[in-house]
Amino acid sequence: MNFASDNVSPLCPEILAALEHEAHGNAPAYGSDDTSRQLDAAFAELFDREVAVVPVATGTAANCISLSALVSPFGGIVCHHEAHINEDESTGVAFFTGGAKLMPVDGPAAKLEADNLDAFLASRVDRGVHSVAPECVAITQATELGTVYSPDEVAAIGAICKKRDLRLFMDGARFANAVAHLGCHPADITWKAGVDAISFGATKNGAQAVDAIVLFDTSLRGKVEQARKRSGHLYSKHRYLASQLLAYVKDDLWLRNARHANGAAKTLCDMLVSHGATLAHAADGNEIFANIPAELAQKMRDAGALFYPWPSLGADIYRFVTAWNTDIAQISELNDRIARN
């Protein structure tokens, strides 16, 4: 029972079938094929507006290439200190942007708050070339601690960005889990709330290796495509990225997978609490951060469960992540094994 990460999950059958279907005959390279040409229309239907879609193979590329189009090399990107771009992308943001600086701030459960964001921006002292001026705000949906921004929360941040003439970027590695939790239209927490671009995650939710840069400001396409090429992330056999994404959004596969992962997390969360665990904060999506008594943690390991400690939140805090293929029956079996020991 592997709760270490949703990155350990396999390809889901629908995406594997799409890749197999694509694996016959030749096709034009670098996105000129018929499959790749369908991406903009498919995502325009998903988000209910015109978009430009630029696929890449990794989440790091999706985040950093997007940001490189939103900020200058000498600009600042305001984010939560727990944000993936701050904690887990190494120096990728600075590398891809040519030097832009991350400007981390605090907030509950890895979420930026509009009022605190506005106060932070207001407190900045412009010292000309000696200082860094914020040019973009980046939020993560769902956050790195498993919480989810509501439509009103995103809109409030978007309003601050508009007021201060800043771009708004969304790291959506687990965007599907957030939408599944909220039950809202994808537009409600993206372009309608002021988001300029999103990295639309698929790899963690059943794809082989693809995330989509979705640009609501379509004028950025050329800049993003140039940055993708320069950074070595332009696939020649582009259709194998596109086919994954088309299968992912067809018939709401992305949401079905996320709903299953979220449901498995809810089942696991209830089980943990029943054995004496306490949540570090709300588990809105498919990640759980919980305070686990040492005895319970050992019983779970003895029963075959794999999960990681999360010492940045506390000595006895552990992270559990469920996925599109998590077997809920195995969670019940885990519960029985713990009860017997």
Side-chain angles (χ1 to χ4, degrees):
M1 287 163 280
N2 194 325
F3 303 116
S5 173
D6 38 11
N7 283 320
V8 306
S9 61
L11 280 72
C12 67
E14 294 88 344
I15 290 178
L16 180 58
L19 285 168
E20 290 175 342
H21 176 76
E22 202 66 48
H24 300 282
N26 300 327
Y30 301 114
S32 298
D33 59 281
D34 291 339
T35 302
S36 297
R37 291 182 184 278
Q38 298 175 46
L39 283 175
D40 285 358
F43 278 80
E45 182 177 355
L46 179 69
F47 283 101
D48 198 24
R49 67 160 289 164
E50 182 185 3
V51 297
V53 181
V54 182
V56 291
T58 72
T60 297
N63 286 336
C64 297
I65 292 173
S66 296
L67 289 168
S68 75
L70 298 174
V71 299
S72 66
F74 41 83
I77 303 163
V78 181
C79 64
H80 195 281
H81 73 85
E82 291 276 4
H84 193 82
I85 59 173
N86 188 50
E87 289 290 328
D88 296 279
E89 301 289 28
S90 182
T91 57
V93 173
F95 176 78
F96 277 78
T97 60
K101 181 179 180 179
L102 293 174
M103 307 172 76
V105 299
D106 205 357
K111 292 164 71 173
L112 294 181
E113 295 177 302
D115 289 345
N116 287 344
L117 172 64
D118 199 29
F120 172 79
L121 294 169
S123 71
R124 303 296 300 172
V125 177
D126 183 1
R127 294 184 288 110
V129 297
H130 303 286
S131 60
V132 175
E135 296 180 358
C136 178
V137 173
I139 59 176
T140 310
Q141 180 76 310
T143 73
E144 286 300 291
L145 297 185
T147 53
V148 167
Y149 287 94
S150 70
D152 287 345
E153 288 172 325
V154 181
I157 292 170
I160 299 300
C161 291
K162 183 177 181 180
K163 167 184 159 184
R164 297 192 174 275
D165 195 25
L166 303 176
R167 293 287 202 172
L168 180 55
F169 170 70
M170 179 176 283
D171 175 351
R174 295 188 176 94
F175 182 72
N177 302 96
V179 174
H181 169 74
L182 293 169
C184 67
H185 193 283
D188 294 338
I189 52 172
T190 53
W191 65 268
K192 286 186 177 180
V195 175
D196 294 294
I198 177 175
S199 59
F200 187 90
T203 303
K204 295 179 187 298
N205 197 32
Q208 179 194 25
V210 65
D211 283 13
I213 299 170
V214 180
L215 303 170
F216 302 111
D217 179 353
T218 57
S219 70
L220 294 171
R221 181 199 287 276
K223 194 172 184 179
V224 167
E225 289 182 341
Q226 290 282 2
R228 179 180 60 172
K229 173 61 178 178
R230 180 176 180 267
S231 63
H233 282 278
L234 175 60
Y235 261 43
S236 57
K237 297 182 179 179
H238 197 280
R239 64 193 185 275
Y240 294 111
L241 298 181
S243 61
Q244 292 181 70
L245 288 171
L246 291 176
Y248 187 56
V249 299
K250 183 180 179 181
D251 300 326
D252 284 342
L253 173 64
W254 66 293
L255 279 179
R256 294 203 310 274
N257 283 359
R259 288 184 186 121
H260 178 86
N262 288 5
K266 176 64 166 60
T267 300
L268 178 60
C269 186
D270 290 344
M271 187 272 283
L272 292 171
V273 171
S274 74
H275 287 286
T278 56
L279 296 182
H281 48 253
D284 294 334
N286 66 322
E287 291 182 284
I288 302 166
F289 293 83
N291 187 306
I292 309 291
E295 183 180 2
L296 175 59
Q298 190 57 52
K299 284 183 177 182
M300 293 184 69
R301 292 191 188 97
D302 291 343
L306 178 62
F307 51 96
Y308 287 142
W310 216 255
S312 64
L313 295 182
D316 296 316
I317 303 293
Y318 296 86
R319 186 185 80 158
F320 300 81
V321 188
T322 53
W324 71 270
N325 67 322
T326 297
D327 188 344
I328 295 178
Q330 285 193 338
I331 298 175
S332 297
E333 181 182 341
L334 175 63
N335 179 58
D336 293 341
R337 290 182 186 178
I338 294 170
R340 288 195 299 267
N341 291 337

